[in-house]
Each structure stands twice: as C-alpha cells, then as structure tokens.
Amino acid sequence: MYWTLELASHLSDAPWPATKDELIDYAIRTGAPLEVVENLQSMEDEGDSYDSIDEIWPDYPSDDDYLWNEDEY
C-alpha cells in the first residue's frame, strides 16, 4: 500500500467520518483511480470509522503546512 498526494486527494472530499466500506464505495462512485480502491481494500478493517484523511495517511498535508501569510494577499 502506498499513498501519494494525488491519490489521497481523491478522498479529501469524502463524507467524514466514514468506515472502510463507505470509503471504498465513495472512491468507486467518484471514479477514483484503481490504486485508491486497492489501498483502501488492503487496510486492516477493525470496524472503526475514520474521522479524516489524516487517520488513513498521517502525512497528508494540512493548511498549516503551507508557509505563506494569507492576510498579505
């Protein structure tokens, strides 16, 4: 299983919180690449729901990762 920013971005608008099966269904319905579905299927399913993409891929960049001051623009 591997995640890239491009692959993970297909789940950024998913209806959080969501279970593994709901995320797989969302990825298929929205036409996400096959790699996204395969990555979700390879995750261990403990029946828990995920609150955000950060729980699936902790390295997903957040708004705090960008180093510019929005007030200047």
Side-chain angles (χ1 to χ4, degrees):
M1 175 174 71
Y2 68 94
W3 287 101
T4 64
L5 184 56
E6 181 182 355
L7 292 178
S9 68
H10 289 280
L11 296 178
S12 63
D13 292 331
W16 304 103
T19 64
K20 174 184 170 183
D21 291 335
E22 291 170 339
L23 291 172
I24 292 170
D25 182 55
Y26 175 81
I28 292 169
R29 285 186 294 114
T30 58
L34 183 60
E35 290 87 356
V36 174
V37 176
E38 290 173 348
N39 285 347
L40 291 170
Q41 289 173 338
S42 68
M43 292 175 15
E44 293 182 20
D45 187 12
E46 298 172 4
D48 297 335
S49 64
Y50 300 96
D51 292 325
S52 70
I53 187 72
D54 294 326
E55 291 185 19
I56 295 173
W57 189 43
D59 293 333
Y60 189 77
S62 66
D63 291 338
D64 297 334
D65 293 335
Y66 298 101
L67 302 175
W68 73 24
N69 186 355
E70 292 179 3
D71 295 335
E72 292 180 6
Y73 298 97

